[in-house]
Amino acid sequence: MRLRALLDTDALGLRLLGGEDELDRTVRGVMTTDLRDPSRYLSGGELVLTGLAWRREPTDSESFVRLLAGAGVAALGAGEAELGNVPDDLIAACARHRLPLFAVHESVAFATITEHVVRQVSGERAGDLAAVVDRHRRMMISGPAGGGPDVVLDLLGSDLDLRAWVLSPAGRLIAGSKVSGPAPAPDVCAALAAGHLTAARTGSRRGLSPHRVAVGGTTYSLFPVRGNGRSAAQGGSRDLRETVLSDWLLAVEADAGDWPAERLDLLQGVTQLIAVERDRRDAARTVRRRLAQEILELVQSGAAPAEIAARLRVAAPVLLPGLGAAPHWQVVVARVDWAGGEIEGGPVAQALLEEILVDPHATGPEHSDRIAVAHTGDEAIALVPLPAVSSEHDGSEAGILAEELLAAVRDPLSAGLDDDGRLTIGVSAAVHSAEGLRGALEEARHARRVAAARPGRVCAAGHQELASHVLLLPFVPDDVRRAFTARLLDPLRDYDRRHRAELIPTLEAFLECDGSWTRCAARLHLHVNTLRYRVGRIEQLTGRDLSRLEDKLDFFLALRMS
């Protein structure tokens, strides 16, 4: 605001004592002080209010005003409550340094002036920033993104003193203000993402009001960032579950509960600007998605390895620019299943894989531009390039590990899936050529089915876990499982019920002891002869021979499936 506007406000009761030619100066803030040297606390453009307690003799006025002028303050307001009238030496000093001087009537509190100036300045800043945001949004729509979302977040920090960050649905930092200090810790970002997804799924966000959440004693306001290409979801024509796990969010370190409508409108404009960048990023992924789709179709159709290898050579420079040779590859399969089955989970799984395959410690959106993900039905398939390790190493690749993949994102994604969705992921071993890609795809799919057999909203399994036959058990059809276990174990259960025997516990202990009579007898606190009698009864009732490996394995599987 201008100094002239202060004089035009009768409620402030200000009287101009000097500086008529400087009334078009801009006021950017207010500071009340009685320090002899307040310059260290001044940044320029302030209206300084003082009760003159610093003045002990007339010569003090010159040094005080000189310090204010050197700090670039807009004007000085001197209270009349202490000395009655403003001293002539202060008026003269302000005139020498061309510093406008106001007399503040004793009936007017400094707090009244401060509140008025802050309210006016904040409103003008918001209006100015809104214009900047609107201009920047138009620029981003019509041309290159320039600095991207970081530019407008810097404006929020410098002009409105708002610390804000753009986060992915999994809590990864996409963009942040450089003028607001360090970003929140990764666990705080994950908690903010979880709060955002919970609010979206439970419908606790209404209208333009942001969802507010407290993390570590700090309140944050969360604004969804919905791409223009997904705006139909806002109108209710699409199910929320189709987009909730792919929308970014704007997290502002402030409680927006009592913000005026103008401030909320400003933040909505910021989210629309960021949404333009999100749409641009999605459009740029089209090439990588097409590459993945082409390779997937070749692999599933049984194309010749040479043809697949040719497509891999095309994909390598797109995903890893500057790489000299074609890398090794891993395949990651993800599936999102919603209750009822009426929503296709493939596109959601595709967006999630593009997000969670990025190093959780990486910031910015460019890191996700090295992942090629296709989708079909409810399944998404990612082709992940792995640069070959140099020869001085052991020849292995620093590949993706299933559990590490989900460690940082399990909580927020579980919140987004709520109580009607599941995400399951399978990870293959690295393959070194096109010939191995089909096997890697099947391996990843088998691992995903292993993950699906586990409890929890978000589960993953890797190729390392496919080495045991025990993991095949979840894929045995229920009717086969029941028939197999009944044929082997029902005779023993019936005998135990009728005779209060313990043939089933004896069988379990015998197998766990690898058929060792002495170790099993010691575990059960039985004489070896008693143990031999029980094992003989088991063999008699089932027609099996526990000295044969095949029969031992059948009993082992039956117990595991029962």
Side-chain angles (χ1 to χ4, degrees):
M1 66 179 301
R2 305 289 183 182
L3 286 176
R4 194 179 304 279
L6 291 174
L7 283 176
D8 295 338
T9 306
D10 294 337
L12 300 182
L14 298 178
R15 182 164 47 92
L16 183 65
L17 299 180
E20 294 85 350
D21 297 337
E22 305 293 336
L23 291 182
D24 286 328
R25 289 187 180 186
T26 299
V27 179
R28 301 184 183 279
V30 183
M31 178 184 180
T32 299
T33 182
D34 277 313
L35 295 173
R36 297 175 66 85
D37 181 5
S39 59
R40 78 190 75 174
Y41 305 110
L42 298 170
S43 57
E46 295 92 348
L47 168 64
V48 175
L49 302 175
T50 179
L52 303 178
W54 49 266
R55 182 182 177 276
R56 295 183 176 84
E57 54 187 41
T59 56
D60 291 339
S61 294
E62 170 63 26
S63 59
F64 183 78
V65 172
R66 184 175 65 252
L67 291 170
L68 298 188
V73 302
L76 174 64
E80 297 179 321
E82 182 73 19
L83 301 178
N85 294 323
V86 177
D88 291 340
D89 50 88
L90 181 59
I91 297 174
C94 287
R96 282 193 296 273
H97 292 279
R98 302 181 61 83
L99 181 66
L101 175 64
F102 298 98
V104 182
H105 194 271
E106 61 181 3
S107 64
V108 179
F110 284 173
T112 301
I113 301 174
T114 299
E115 181 180 355
H116 176 81
V117 172
V118 169
R119 185 167 58 249
Q120 294 298 315
V121 169
S122 295
E124 291 179 5
R125 282 183 177 178
D128 292 343
L129 184 56
V132 171
V133 168
D134 184 65
R135 183 169 64 252
H136 194 55
R137 179 172 63 236
R138 292 196 302 271
M139 179 187 71
M140 290 179 71
I141 292 174
S142 60
D150 301 274
V151 173
V152 72
L153 296 183
D154 284 341
L155 289 173
L156 287 177
S158 60
D159 283 31
L160 293 183
D161 197 26
L162 290 177
R163 289 163 47 86
W165 303 271
V166 179
L167 304 177
S168 77
R172 186 171 62 86
L173 182 66
I174 300 293
S177 170
K178 298 179 179 64
V179 302
S180 299
D187 60 328
V188 174
C189 291
L192 293 176
H196 159 72
L197 291 173
T198 298
R201 288 305 313 275
T202 59
S204 60
R205 182 180 287 115
R206 294 289 183 264
L208 297 179
S209 299
H211 177 65
R212 304 191 302 280
V213 60
V215 179
T218 301
T219 299
Y220 298 85
S221 298
L222 310 178
F223 297 81
V225 177
R226 299 188 177 98
N228 297 324
R230 299 183 293 277
S231 59
Q234 300 178 33
S237 60
R238 297 180 65 190
D239 194 299
L240 176 66
R241 292 174 292 181
E242 294 182 67
T243 60
V244 68
L245 293 178
S246 59
D247 287 333
W248 289 353
L249 69 140
L250 175 67
V252 181
E253 189 182 292
D255 188 342
D258 58 353
W259 280 4
E262 294 80 8
R263 178 67 65 90
L264 291 175
D265 288 343
L266 169 63
L267 268 294
Q268 292 300 324
V270 171
T271 64
Q272 292 170 17
L273 186 154
I274 297 170
V276 174
E277 179 68 13
R278 176 63 194 268
D279 287 341
R280 188 188 311 280
R281 201 59 41 78
D282 286 346
R285 288 176 174 169
T286 302
V287 173
R288 295 185 300 278
R289 288 175 172 178
R290 188 185 306 121
L291 282 172
Q293 197 72 43
E294 291 174 357
I295 295 171
L296 174 63
E297 291 173 358
L298 289 173
V299 171
Q300 295 192 128
S301 65
E307 187 176 359
I308 299 174
R311 298 308 300 163
L312 289 176
R313 284 193 294 272
V314 171
V318 174
L319 299 176
L320 289 177
L323 190 68
H328 302 158
W329 304 89
Q330 266 183 296
V331 175
V332 181
V333 173
R335 182 182 174 98
V336 172
D337 294 289
W338 299 106
E342 70 277 6
I343 302 173
E344 186 180 21
V348 178
Q350 181 182 47
L352 282 178
L353 270 189
E354 288 172 335
E355 166 58 34
I356 65 178
L357 285 174
V358 182
D359 182 345
H361 301 293
T363 59
E366 69 281 357
H367 297 275
S368 60
D369 294 345
R370 297 183 173 187
I371 308 297
V373 185
H375 80 83
T376 174
D378 291 326
E379 185 181 68
I381 301 169
L383 190 64
V384 183
L386 299 175
V389 178
S390 57
S391 58
E392 65 265 18
H393 292 80
D394 60 3
S396 61
E397 295 81 27
I400 297 169
L401 299 178
E403 273 309 304
E404 290 182 5
L405 194 65
L406 296 182
V409 301
R410 180 175 277 108
D411 288 346
L413 294 186
S414 295
L417 292 163
D418 198 23
D419 60 353
D420 60 350
R422 287 199 77 203
L423 168 67
T424 52
I425 294 177
V427 182
S428 79
V431 294
H432 310 159
S433 64
E435 289 85 347
L437 209 53
R438 182 179 181 86
L441 174 59
E442 291 305 314
E443 187 174 56
R445 282 173 166 161
H446 282 305
R448 192 208 63 79
R449 286 192 285 269
V450 170
R454 296 170 174 168
R457 289 287 163 198
V458 180
C459 298
H463 62 92
Q464 304 94 334
E465 302 175 68
L466 298 179
S468 172
H469 62 275
V470 178
L471 293 172
L472 299 177
L473 300 184
F475 313 122
V476 177
D478 287 342
D479 54 345
V480 176
R481 183 194 304 257
R482 286 191 295 269
F484 182 74
T485 57
R487 186 165 59 250
L488 279 174
L489 301 182
D490 279 1
L492 306 181
R493 291 172 178 148
D494 291 341
Y495 188 89
D496 282 345
R497 280 195 300 270
R498 292 196 310 268
H499 301 280
R500 296 185 179 180
E502 296 183 351
L503 297 186
I504 292 289
T506 300
L507 176 61
E508 291 175 336
F510 187 73
L511 295 175
E512 289 173 359
C513 292
D514 299 324
S516 170
W517 296 99
T518 55
R519 283 195 290 122
C520 184
R523 172 181 292 192
L524 297 175
H525 305 290
L526 298 175
H527 192 278
V528 173
N529 289 339
T530 303
L531 176 61
R532 291 185 184 276
Y533 170 80
R534 289 187 182 181
V535 170
R537 179 61 66 181
I538 291 170
E539 293 175 337
Q540 181 183 15
L541 292 170
T542 61
R544 298 298 185 104
D545 183 354
L546 278 170
S547 65
R548 298 178 65 245
L549 176 61
E550 293 86 348
D551 288 342
K552 285 181 181 177
L553 181 58
D554 284 347
F555 277 122
F556 175 80
L557 294 175
L559 288 168
R560 286 298 182 96
M561 288 190 293
S562 63

